[in-house]
Amino acid sequence: MAITPLMNDGMDGAPAKRVLHSMQEQKEKGRRIVGIYCGYAPIELIQAMDLVPAVLCAFAEGPIASAETVLPANLCPLIKSSYGYILEGTCPFFGLSEAVVAETTCDGKKKMFELAAEVKPMHVMDLPQLPDEAEALVNWTAMIRKLQGFLEKTFDRRVSDDAIEASIKATNRKNRLMRRIFDYAALHPPLLCWQEMYDVGFLALPARGEEIEPLLESLLARLAVRREQGECFGTERSPRVLVTGCPVGGDALKIFRIIEEAGGLVVTPDSCTGIKSFLGETEEDTGDPVAAIARRYLAIPCACMTPNTRRLTALSQLIDRFRPDAVVDFVLTACHSYNVESHKIGRHVGERHGLPYLKIESNYSKSDEGQIRTKIEALFEIARS
Amino acid sequence: MNEEFAGIDIGSRTTKLVVVDAAGAVQRRRQADTGFEPMATAEKLLAGTSCARVMATGYGRNLFEIAFAGRTVTEIKAHARGALAFFPGTRTVLDIGGQDSKVIAIGDNGRVHRFEMNDRCAAGTGKFMEVMARTLGYAIEEFGDEALHADSDIAISSMCTVFAESEVTSLIAKGRERREIALGLHSSVVRRVAAMVGRVATAGDIVFTGGVAKNPCMRALLAQLLGRRILLPAEPQLAGALGAALLALESEKYQ
Ligand code: SF4
Ligand code: SF4
């Protein structure tokens, strides 16, 4: 018996369409849109200003050819794809956005932003990369205040700390609901498949807490029904996989699909397009909501940070919670940060958790699907033995 | 009844078949170019055998699974099993085939516990060796022997087949000795392969499988660079098919 899709709104498996639909609606209501690219964009602040954050397109192979007329070929596909969309003018979210928030994460991205700034106003935030230094918090707090100033000026409005505080609380509520949804993937077998997690995350990430809450509650109700009716994905014996690493979306979703085709279950998409963005709590009622936001965002375990020990801690927590049988580290071609860090991740996963680990280095093309499949199947052979 | 079990390794270049009896003894071995119709090739090789169970491996295994409702196993597990059949104490397997190279670490329980596979480019594969031998005017069978007879090594910097080919051509044009260029090419492949071995399994003998294992220069340089013994199976290119045949037999037995 087929399981009824979780959202069941006719757009399952096409999350971008769903979000675009909602953005257009908001735009018609007079709301203005700000583009974002990365997990460090402080969504709470943007929403407190009654602006709508739009995650810009970066996950298709298509626009890469255009990008390579300007950018070197030996660059991360996420960066090339983003820029290709900008050059071609084919990202609908970029079209709707009146400004774009960017951060100095990795080198390729920040240099690409310089070129993208020729097309649309970019506000680049200077992201500290040693998150444990005391100055990091001071500087990042200042950067968020500066972003506030930029948005106030660009969109001709003011925002109070009270409004920011309210936005923090709404986002915390949303993230808690999201974590409860992901918890259904921790069950054996899981009650959620990767496509559903991806779809819900795609919709929820840029959504305002108070506006998405009813939907998330209804999804939780549906999941409870699935549980009652014994509906699940795979079997007790299907290998459970935690996929960590670079963001996975669009054409990179092949990694999830191949895992599924090989008989596995993705139970934890541990990246910025998966569970990662919903894990943190921002401290409430601190009297300085912007500093609280800064603290939460600095804690994001991104490989751009050094040392990124938080990633190991977070990974261990996810492993304990979702109990995977294997860990796949997905590294986009030419992403040096995640590629170098994978050595530590592999060691940690093996030594601390005794789990088989596999690094997959790939891009958005289809050319290596056969090879990835072989590696994933071999990983499952190891996990089963 | 005398039952037989087959393993078929459908590689990108050649397809190999090994048939074993219920005791695991090899009864038959066949080999053919995979060609453009891998399933037709597989069918031809299997013709006349009446096996209780067939296990497919290699890049064509998933096609085989669909076409013949057969069972499959990855090259990794198949090569590990094959190497263990040749050398029961195997802990490290290095396989260099036509299009890829892989290193497999086997645990004390005889099961694969780690592997790495290079399949992103031809560098360090049989294909690379073939192209280079041809560029130097050697038959692939004599390439390693000739290289071993060189007096000194020449550093080759390109690992990409296309660039290495033009580097070799320009060395020939400069009048450099053919054998020395050959040795330089072997060294550069060995350095790359050795790094992969080091990442996966750091100590003990290495069972070398795949067609490239027949190359004496590769074996000598690897042993020298890694300071480990290189063990050569009688028919290194059949390790995958043999492993698959034995896994077919064992899956039957333990089912
Ligand atoms: S992985 Fe790092 S740089 Fe990439 S989106 Fe996430 S936080 Fe940003
Ligand atoms: S995947 Fe890596 S290289 Fe690409 S944008 Fe993210 S951090 Fe930069």
Side-chain angles (χ1 to χ4, degrees), chain B residues 5-41:
Chain B
F5 304 86
I8 186 160
D9 179 359
I10 308 168
S12 49
R13 326 275 311 279
T14 53
T15 298
K16 304 116 200 162
L17 175 81
V18 168
V19 178
V20 299
D21 64 14
V26 177
Q27 301 298 304
R28 245 184 312 252
R29 39 176 86 68
R30 289 178 188 165
Q31 193 167 327
D33 282 343
T34 301
F36 298 106
E37 289 178 64
M39 290 311 106
T41 308

Side-chain angles (χ1 to χ4, degrees), chain B residues 104-167:
Chain B
I104 306 162
I106 300 176
D108 292 332
N109 58 0
R111 295 187 187 272
V112 175
H113 77 96
R114 259 177 93 101
F115 68 93
E116 193 173 311
M117 208 171 159
N118 157 45
D119 49 27
R120 304 288 311 179
C121 65
T125 69
K127 179 84 195 164
F128 180 85
M129 302 300 286
E130 267 174 45
V131 172
M132 294 310 133
R134 200 179 333 119
T135 310
L136 284 169
Y138 289 125
I140 188 70
E141 297 77 20
E142 61 177 352
F143 192 32
D145 276 317
E146 293 291 333
L148 274 179
H149 283 99
D151 294 326
S152 64
D153 202 339
I154 291 178
I156 307 278
S157 49
S158 315
M159 276 310 295
C160 161
T161 313
V162 178
F163 290 128
E165 202 177 351
S166 55
E167 193 173 341

Side-chain angles (χ1 to χ4, degrees), chain B residues 32-56:
Chain B
D33 282 343
T34 301
F36 298 106
E37 289 178 64
M39 290 311 106
T41 308
E43 203 170 354
K44 223 169 60 211
L45 285 179
L46 280 165
T49 64
S50 58
C51 290
R53 195 181 291 278
V54 182
M55 185 78 81

Side-chain angles (χ1 to χ4, degrees), chain A residues 126-140:
Chain A
D126 185 10
L127 179 71
Q129 309 216 323
L130 272 65
D132 303 321
E133 299 293 314
E135 294 82 357
L137 182 62
V138 178
N139 289 343
W140 188 234

Side-chain angles (χ1 to χ4, degrees), chain A residues 333 346 356 358 361-363 367-368 370-379 381-382 385, chain B residues 58-59 61-62 65 72-78 109 111-115 117-120:
Chain A
T333 315
L358 174 70
E361 219 183 311
S362 186
N363 53 25
S367 62
D368 58 357
Q371 288 96 320
I372 296 179
R373 171 88 188 247
T374 299
K375 290 179 189 174
I376 295 288
E377 285 182 13
L379 179 73
E381 287 169 352
I382 296 173
S385 65
Chain B
Y59 102 107
R61 69 185 183 287
N62 295 120
E65 188 174 13
T72 64
V73 65
T74 66
E75 296 92 296
I76 319 272
K77 190 171 175 180
N109 58 0
R111 295 187 187 272
V112 175
H113 77 96
R114 259 177 93 101
F115 68 93
M117 208 171 159
N118 157 45
D119 49 27
R120 304 288 311 179

Side-chain angles (χ1 to χ4, degrees), chain A residues 48-94:
Chain A
M49 305 186 77
D50 204 25
L51 297 167
V52 180
V55 182
L56 303 176
C57 299
F59 290 109
E61 170 82 359
I64 288 183
S66 309
E68 285 179 357
T69 59
V70 177
L71 299 176
N74 179 26
L75 190 68
C76 152
L78 197 155
I79 302 174
K80 286 191 288 189
S81 184
S82 310
Y83 186 65
Y85 270 118
I86 296 173
L87 271 191
E88 290 179 352
T90 43
C91 168
F93 300 104
F94 195 81

Side-chain angles (χ1 to χ4, degrees), chain A residues 38-40 105 109 247 272 302 338:
Chain A
C38 165
Y40 284 108
T105 48
K109 229 192 208 172
C272 285
C302 172
Y338 278 92

